[in-house]
Amino acid sequence: MTMPLIDPFARAITYLRVSVTDRCDFRCVYCMSENMTFLPKKELLTLEELDRLCSTFVDLGVQKLRITGGEPLVRRGIMTFFQSMSRHLDSGRLQELTLTTNGSQLERFADDLYAAGVRRVNVSLDTLDEKKFAEITRWGRLPQVLRGIDAAQRAGLRVKINAVALKGFNEEELPQITQWCAARDIDLTWIEVMPMGDIGNEDRLDQYWSLKDVRAKYAEHYTITDLAERTGGPARYVRLEETGQKIGFITPLSHNFCESCNRVRVTCTGEIYMCLGQEDVADLRAPLREHPEDDAPLQQAIRAAIERKPKGHDFDYSRQRLDGQMPRHMSHTGG
Ligand code: SAM
Ligand code: SF4
């Protein structure tokens, strides 16, 4: 039997997030600069290589696979990848195949995703105001995303909205966004903005809206109860008693969640990041390409990387400096 992946701090690695492209049809101000330079195509893992890589992780005990990007649904042929991954759902070795998307292509792909065994999808949406949406995403258009969300729900996919909490931007919209989600039976999670990548003039300390304050804002409108639910990641949940809604908070900067971390991230070039907040990285593309017929070197490289998984990250806004700032973009590691 293959030994599962256990890191030096006795954490089992059962969750893999894979970025399948660094490209995107949006240019969200907190994520990318308007003139992003993207990787040359030959650097990217092919869909077949991504399949082999993910399947090797499944062989090593990964049970949950999240596909992200960039925008995963703009990668050409990505639906064949989803269809192919569904064999691991059928075999019962993979428990969940899911994705994080900006929603722009969901209208086109929702049914195919469902057919491939996807049951839940995270859609990133920071505002319900058309003008503000165009401002924050630069290239995105709200009606297209809303049609995508409708299509996803019609297809039978459970939708969760991820909203980046931005001071002075969507602060006042909190009750509307919450009610909009409640009316559609959509879960909602707020994410604290993180210091990732060099994205031009946006000053993240100005944008930073602490989720402690978001929570306080909820307390003005609702009775909130803390929930014990944990996913091995940074999310914490509360229930709004008036609506029965579950609201998530992802606070990578102000909370220490690392002790229960169960995940690693792989980029579209086959680099494995053992921690979102640390620079340490290992290359999986070389063992993948150099040994097309033999998975053992790839398995060894994965195990060696997991052996180096650090205890935690170093983000810290508390001193009002961008301590622990990461030079790479979220679109690179996939958030
Ligand atoms: N394009 C897809 C999307 O937007 O959902 C998937 C990739 S995107 C990088 C994944 C998530 O990262 C999105 O929810 C996005 O809002 C979030 N994100 C991007 N830059 C961020 C930042 N600087 N701080 C916090 N979250 C960020
Ligand atoms: Fe694209 Fe997602 Fe980054 Fe926005 S957050 S630019 S949609 S990758």
Side-chain angles (χ1 to χ4, degrees):
M1 218 182 85
T2 324
M3 287 284 288
L5 294 171
I6 308 283
D7 81 356
F9 303 95
R11 297 169 297 194
I13 307 306
T14 54
Y15 180 11
L16 174 67
R17 300 168 71 110
V18 181
S19 171
V20 294
T21 175
D22 62 333
R23 288 163 201 258
C24 188
D25 51 347
F26 291 4
R27 291 289 181 281
C28 302
V29 297
Y30 46 74
C31 180
M32 292 190 185
S33 68
E34 190 145 22
N35 314 305
M36 284 289 285
T37 322
F38 293 107
L39 293 162
K41 291 238 164 64
K42 66 174 188 336
E43 296 282 316
L44 299 195
L45 297 185
T46 63
L47 292 174
E48 292 72 22
E49 286 169 336
L50 280 167
D51 187 322
R52 197 174 144 219
L53 184 66
C54 293
S55 301
T56 303
F57 272 98
V58 172
D59 290 341
L60 295 175
V62 158
Q63 293 166 2
K64 177 170 172 180
L65 183 60
R66 178 174 295 279
I67 307 306
T68 175
E71 174 46 42
L73 297 182
V74 302
R75 169 106 195 221
R76 191 172 305 157
I78 194 64
M79 234 20 84
T80 57
F81 169 81
F82 276 100
Q83 281 148 11
S84 173
M85 279 298 112
S86 70
R87 70 185 187 277
H88 300 307
L89 291 169
D90 296 340
S91 76
R93 292 195 302 159
L94 190 62
Q95 281 167 14
E96 185 168 39
L97 173 62
T98 183
L99 73 154
T100 300
T101 172
N102 64 23
S104 70
Q105 308 301 315
L106 271 179
E107 194 175 18
R108 196 166 141 213
F109 290 129
D111 287 325
D112 292 342
L113 286 168
Y114 189 89
V118 175
R119 292 294 174 265
R120 296 196 302 164
V121 49
N122 286 1
V123 181
S124 305
L125 177 66
D126 305 326
T127 174
L128 290 168
D129 178 301
E130 237 181 283
K131 229 174 107 223
K132 278 163 72 179
F133 187 87
E135 202 182 294
I136 200 81
T137 62
R138 292 204 189 97
W139 296 2
R141 297 296 170 259
L142 181 67
Q144 186 183 352
V145 171
L146 296 182
R147 286 199 305 274
I149 292 172
D150 284 344
Q153 289 196 294
R154 265 199 314 274
L157 297 170
R158 176 111 198 127
V159 176
K160 179 164 81 89
I161 297 292
N162 283 338
V164 176
L166 296 163
K167 207 180 185 69
F169 179 77
N170 51 14
E171 224 175 325
E172 294 310 315
E173 257 189 282
L174 178 140
Q176 288 97 301
I177 295 174
T178 305
Q179 280 156 25
W180 184 86
C181 288
R184 282 164 186 73
D185 190 25
I186 286 176
D187 293 327
L188 171 62
T189 291
W190 293 89
I191 310 176
E192 238 168 28
V193 73
M194 287 194 270
M196 307 294 278
D198 164 24
I199 43 131
N201 326 331
E202 302 300 325
D203 182 350
R204 276 202 205 75
L205 285 176
D206 280 352
Q207 292 178 322
Y208 178 62
W209 182 24
S210 145
L211 291 194
K212 232 166 84 192
D213 296 343
V214 179
R215 208 189 132 98
K217 190 111 187 155
Y218 270 109
E220 286 172 21
H221 297 270
Y222 303 93
T223 316
I224 55 180
T225 309
D226 284 308
L227 299 176
E229 185 176 331
R230 296 283 186 275
T231 55
R236 296 290 176 265
Y237 298 94
V238 300
R239 188 173 52 237
L240 307 183
E241 295 303 338
E242 287 77 1
T243 63
Q245 242 170 318
K246 192 174 81 173
I247 305 287
F249 298 101
I250 298 186
T251 54
L253 303 170
S254 50
H255 269 268
N256 194 349
F257 56 88
C258 304
E259 70 281 354
S260 59
C261 186
N262 59 356
R263 62 200 59 194
V264 289
R265 295 172 167 79
V266 172
T267 68
C268 52
T269 55
E271 296 168 297
I272 175 170
Y273 281 88
M274 285 67 85
C275 172
L276 181 60
Q278 299 278 4
E279 292 240 45
D280 193 21
V281 62
D283 176 37
L284 301 179
R285 190 177 58 188
L288 191 74
R289 287 196 173 158
E290 283 162 18
H291 305 274
E293 303 294 333
D294 180 10
D295 287 343
L298 176 60
Q299 289 201 0
Q300 253 166 29
I302 293 171
R303 287 196 190 281
I306 301 296
E307 278 295 309
R308 298 203 322 245
K309 187 168 161 65
K311 198 165 178 199
H313 62 60
D314 295 329
F315 289 134
D316 189 359
Y317 270 128
S318 60
R319 280 161 280 161
Q320 284 298 293
R321 291 193 305 130
L322 293 176
D323 276 6
Q325 173 154 357
M326 299 306 304
R328 63 180 189 266
H329 292 248
M330 284 291 265
S331 51
H332 187 59
T333 37

